[in-house]
Amino acid sequence: MEAEFQARSQQAITLFAGSNYGSTAFENEKRSYPRAMMDFLAGNREKAIAFLQSEDADADRNAHTLGIDFYSGFTLKGQVRKYFYFGKYLDPNYRQRMKKAMGILTEKDPLTRTFLSPRKFWSASTDNCDTWVDCRNTDNLKAMREVGVYLFAEETGNEETRKIYKERIRRNVRTLYQIGQGEWDSENYLGHAVTTYVNLYDFALDREVKSLAKSALDWFFTEGALKYWRGGFGGPSKRDYSQGNCVWCSLATHELGLYFGDSPLADPKPDADEVHLITSSYRPPLAVIALAHKEFKKPLELLNSKPTYENWKLGKDAAPQFYETLYFGNTFQLGTLAQGSGGDWNGFKMMAFNTKRGVDYFIAATGTDSTSISTSSIGGDNVAQYRNLVIWLNNKPLAPFQFFLPKSALIETRLGVTFISYEKTWVALTPINLHLEGINLTANKKIQSRYPDDQILTAAGTGRTLTGFAIEVGEQQTYGSWEQFQQSVVKKSRLTLNSSNNGVAEYQGVFGQVKLQYQGNKLPKVWRNGHYHDWRDHFALYQSADGNKTPIYSGWKSSKLKIEAGGYKFQSQSE
C-alpha cells in the first residue's frame, strides 16, 4: 500500500513540475503555495523557495505581522506547512521573521483583535472580516483558523492562546464523533478538511492534540471511504457543487484517492493541495482502506443520519437534519435522503461499475438547471428507499425532472417502464404522473465541457396532484441477465396509486416493497418492505438496516466509531 501511495504521489508531483504558481494577493496562496511546494518536491527548489519567501503582495496590509500574511484560512494552511515542513530550506532570517510574526499574531486570540475596517476575501463582501484572522465559520475555514493559530501559539510559547485553541479543537472533534460534521460528505470540502488536520497531526507537539488530530482524520477518511469508489464519489452529500459527478472530478476524490487508489484510471488532474498529504506521516487505518475498497459482504444497506449545518452551535445537536439510506450492491451503490435534494445538498446519487472509467453516475433531481443537477430542486421532494427500490414524489403538478446518465447507457421502454442498462447494472424507471420527454440536447450542451460523456434526460409532471417516479435497480447476481431483469420487472413489479388522494404511492419490486406517503416539507412517511419506518427513531450516524453485523457503526452521541472490513477491525472514540 505504501509503495502504491508513493507512486501516486510521484505522479502528482511530476504533473506540477515547472508549473506557474500564481500570486500571493488576497487568497491566492490557496493555490500558489501548494503549487510551489509541489514544484519544490519535483526538484525546482530554488525557484519554489524564492516564491515561498518572497514579499507578500499585500505586505502593507499585514504590517502588524511584519508583512507576513496570516489572514485567510487558506493562506494559514499554506503558511503552516511552509514554516514547519519546508522551513529548514527557507532563509534563516525569513524563517525568524515568520516566527516573530506568529508570536505577534497569537499574543492574544487574533479572533478578538480587530482592524478599523473589514478586509476582503474573494467571496462576497458579507464574508469579509475585521478581525486579525479569518472569522468565517464554515467547517473547513474554521478548522484552518483553529489549527493554524494553535500551531503558531504552540511554536511561540503563547500559552494562553494555545490553550484557548486546544479547547476549540477538542470541542470540534468531540462534536464530530457525537453527531457528525456539518459539511457532511462534501464532494469538495472533505478534501479541505483532511489537508487541514494533517497539519495538526504532523506538527503539534502536545501529544493529546496530536491524538485529537488523528481522531479527526480517522473520522474524515471513514466518511470519505463510504462514498468513494474506484475514483468516484457518490451518494448524498452536503455542499455539493455538481462538479464531482465523474471519476476524479471532485476535490475529495483527489485527496482520498491518493490513499485509496482502486481505480482503473490514474488521476489525470491531481490537486496541488495533495502536497499536505504527500509530505505527511499520517496513514488511514487498514479497516478504513478496506471500507473504501468495499471489502465487506454485499448487498448491504445502511441507515445513517446527518446533522444540521454549523452543528457546533448551541442547540444544533438536538436531532439530525437529514436521514440517509445507503445501499451497496455488487456493481453499484445507491444513496438517497428522505428530503431529496435542495439548497446545497444532494439527495439522490448512484454510482455503477464501469471497467474502463471506474464508475458511471445516475442522478435524479427536480428543477431545470442541468449545470447544478446534484442539488437542483423546486422544493417539496419526498423520497423513500428500501434497498434497491426508490420512490420519489413531488406535489407540484407540472414539476420538471432531470436524470443524469452516461451516453453509453442503453435506454429502452417496455409497457410504460423505461429500462436503462449500464455495463453491469440496470435501472427500471416507472413514471408517476410523469411524462419522459427524452434526451435534452440543450441541457447536454450546458454540461458538455464538464461531462462530455454524459447526458440529461428530462421529464415533466402531467398535471396530477403528485408526480415523480419509482426505480428498481438490478444486476446479474440478483436478476440474472439484462433480458431477465426486464422480464421480471414487467411481470412481477407493480406501482400502486390507489391512495393517491392521500399522497400514497407503493412500489412492489421483484424482491421487496417500498411505500411512501407524501408529507410536503416534513419527513415523508415510509414503509420498508411492509414495515413502517419512523426516521425519528433512527438517530445513529451509521448503522445497519437489519441490525445484523455491519462494517461500520457509530451511535448518536456515542462518541465511538467502529469499523470492520477486509479482515481488519478498527475502533476510535472521542472523550
Side-chain angles (χ1 to χ4, degrees):
M1 288 183 185
E2 182 64 21
E4 292 172 354
F5 173 83
Q6 294 297 339
R8 289 190 289 269
S9 297
Q10 191 57 52
Q11 288 173 356
I13 292 168
T14 300
L15 288 174
F16 281 98
S19 64
N20 293 323
Y21 307 152
S23 78
T24 56
F26 297 99
E27 292 182 281
N28 266 307
E29 294 95 337
K30 176 181 180 179
R31 298 177 180 83
S32 63
Y33 274 7
R35 288 174 179 172
M37 294 174 191
M38 280 288 212
D39 201 28
F40 179 97
L41 298 179
N44 297 315
R45 295 190 171 191
E46 290 186 9
K47 175 189 172 185
I49 289 297
F51 177 81
L52 290 172
Q53 63 187 20
S54 63
E55 288 300 316
D56 193 87
D58 300 316
D60 57 331
R61 307 192 70 178
N62 300 305
H64 60 293
T65 49
L66 309 180
I68 306 295
D69 188 356
F70 293 138
Y71 182 48
S72 162
F74 289 109
T75 301
L76 274 176
K77 184 168 70 170
Q79 296 284 28
V80 166
R81 194 150 293 266
K82 180 177 83 173
Y83 177 85
F84 288 100
Y85 187 86
F86 294 93
K88 62 184 178 182
Y89 303 103
L90 298 171
D91 180 272
N93 291 329
Y94 180 83
R95 191 173 191 278
Q96 187 60 35
R97 179 161 61 125
M98 277 196 75
K99 183 173 181 177
K100 188 174 180 181
M102 292 176 191
I104 295 170
L105 179 75
T106 58
E107 283 175 345
K108 299 178 181 178
D109 180 355
L111 202 57
T112 65
R113 306 176 79 175
T114 59
F115 301 110
L116 294 177
S117 59
R119 297 179 59 182
K120 291 183 178 181
F121 296 107
W122 284 117
S123 50
S125 60
T126 54
D127 280 343
N128 296 333
C129 303
D130 63 358
T131 47
W132 275 31
V133 71
D134 201 330
C135 68
R136 295 173 291 180
N137 277 326
T138 61
D139 282 2
N140 67 99
L141 288 170
K142 186 170 177 284
M144 292 176 200
R145 175 181 70 234
E146 292 174 352
V147 167
V149 173
Y150 174 84
L151 291 171
F152 294 165
E154 185 178 61
E155 173 72 1
T156 56
N158 285 323
E159 190 65 7
E160 182 177 349
T161 301
R162 186 192 76 86
K163 289 180 178 179
I164 290 171
Y165 278 78
K166 177 179 178 178
E167 183 54 35
R168 290 175 183 172
I169 291 168
R170 186 203 309 276
R171 187 167 62 242
N172 288 339
V173 177
R174 183 189 301 127
T175 299
L176 193 66
Y177 273 76
Q178 287 190 326
I179 62 176
Q181 101 148 327
E183 290 177 340
W184 50 269
D185 302 357
S186 173
E187 53 92 9
N188 185 67
Y189 292 103
L190 181 58
H192 290 310
V194 298
T195 53
T196 296
Y197 276 94
V198 291
N199 279 338
L200 191 64
Y201 177 82
D202 287 336
F203 308 126
L205 301 177
D206 185 316
R207 293 184 64 182
E208 187 178 8
V209 173
K210 187 180 181 74
S211 179
L212 285 169
K214 184 184 186 302
S215 294
L217 288 167
D218 291 342
W219 176 273
F220 288 130
F221 276 96
T222 298
E223 179 182 5
L226 272 181
K227 297 296 174 69
Y228 176 95
W229 190 34
R230 294 172 57 81
F233 192 84
S237 59
K238 178 71 170 177
R239 303 200 73 186
D240 189 322
Y241 289 158
S242 288
Q243 297 295 301
N245 302 325
C246 56
V247 169
W248 300 122
C249 284
S250 68
L251 178 63
T253 54
H254 300 308
E255 270 66 2
L256 298 173
L258 194 61
Y259 296 92
F260 297 156
D262 195 36
S263 173
L265 298 176
D267 187 349
K269 195 176 181 180
D271 189 81
D273 248 13
E274 291 174 47
V275 69
H276 297 283
L277 306 176
I278 290 171
T279 55
S280 173
S281 61
Y282 173 79
R283 298 291 183 268
L286 294 176
V288 173
I289 295 175
L291 192 68
H293 293 171
K294 307 301 177 278
E295 295 175 9
F296 48 78
K297 186 178 180 180
K298 295 178 281 288
L300 169 74
E301 187 176 32
L302 301 177
L303 302 176
N304 310 323
S305 75
K306 305 297 181 182
T308 58
Y309 192 57
E310 295 188 329
N311 63 341
W312 43 269
K313 288 185 175 180
L314 186 64
K316 290 293 188 78
D317 63 345
Q321 182 180 357
F322 301 97
Y323 298 89
E324 174 187 77
T325 306
L326 195 58
Y327 182 73
F328 298 88
N330 295 281
T331 65
F332 69 96
Q333 57 187 64
L334 169 66
T336 65
L337 296 180
Q339 301 94 327
S341 301
D344 64 350
W345 67 85
N346 157 54
F348 182 108
K349 193 176 289 189
M350 184 184 86
M351 292 190 297
F353 182 96
N354 184 290
T355 302
K356 295 180 179 179
R357 289 193 292 271
V359 296
D360 286 319
Y361 285 76
F362 179 72
I363 302 170
T366 54
T368 58
D369 187 356
S370 59
T371 61
S372 61
I373 190 169
S374 292
T375 57
S376 179
S377 176
I378 59 173
D381 297 325
N382 279 197
V383 181
Q385 180 181 347
Y386 172 67
R387 298 170 69 89
N388 65 320
L389 308 177
V390 176
I391 293 177
W392 180 313
L393 292 179
N394 188 282
N395 67 341
K396 297 173 180 61
L398 301 177
F401 278 78
Q402 302 181 91
F403 301 95
F404 177 98
L405 65 161
K407 292 177 180 177
S408 60
L410 174 64
I411 303 175
E412 298 179 356
T413 299
R414 293 181 59 185
L415 299 177
V417 180
T418 297
F419 291 93
I420 305 170
S421 177
Y422 287 69
E423 180 183 334
K424 294 186 176 183
T425 310
W426 314 307
V427 177
L429 190 155
T430 302
I432 301 175
N433 299 325
L434 189 70
H435 172 64
L436 296 180
E437 299 170 328
I439 302 300
N440 189 316
L441 298 180
T442 301
N444 286 355
K445 289 181 181 179
K446 291 181 179 179
I447 67 170
Q448 179 69 26
S449 60
R450 185 69 176 177
Y451 304 117
D453 299 321
D454 296 285
Q455 59 188 344
I456 301 291
L457 172 68
T458 53
T462 58
R464 302 292 181 86
T465 303
L466 289 172
T467 187
F469 63 89
I471 69 166
E472 183 168 357
V473 185
E475 56 190 348
Q476 182 181 0
Q477 290 86 343
T478 48
Y479 289 80
S481 66
W482 162 242
E483 292 76 16
Q484 289 173 321
F485 172 69
Q486 290 180 301
Q487 292 169 6
S488 296
V489 169
V490 168
K491 182 178 180 180
K492 298 180 181 180
S493 299
R494 290 290 180 270
L495 175 68
T496 304
L497 298 174
N498 294 339
S499 303
S500 59
N501 290 335
N502 297 321
V504 176
E506 181 179 326
Y507 184 82
Q508 174 65 57
V510 176
F511 300 111
Q513 180 190 79
V514 64
K515 180 179 174 182
L516 184 153
Q517 183 174 22
Y518 187 80
Q519 299 294 306
N521 293 323
K522 298 179 181 179
L523 281 174
K525 290 186 177 180
V526 174
W527 288 261
R528 291 164 38 83
N529 212 30
H531 301 284
Y532 178 66
H533 180 80
D534 191 342
W535 274 116
R536 293 171 296 181
D537 295 333
H538 291 264
F539 275 31
L541 279 63
Y542 297 107
Q543 64 179 339
S544 170
D546 57 13
N548 292 326
K549 190 175 182 181
T550 176
I552 180 170
Y553 179 79
S554 180
W556 178 260
K557 295 189 177 180
S558 71
S559 297
K560 293 182 180 180
L561 174 67
K562 298 179 180 179
I563 306 164
E564 185 172 347
Y568 301 102
K569 295 181 180 181
F570 176 76
Q571 179 172 314
S572 182
Q573 67 185 62
S574 176
E575 64 182 56

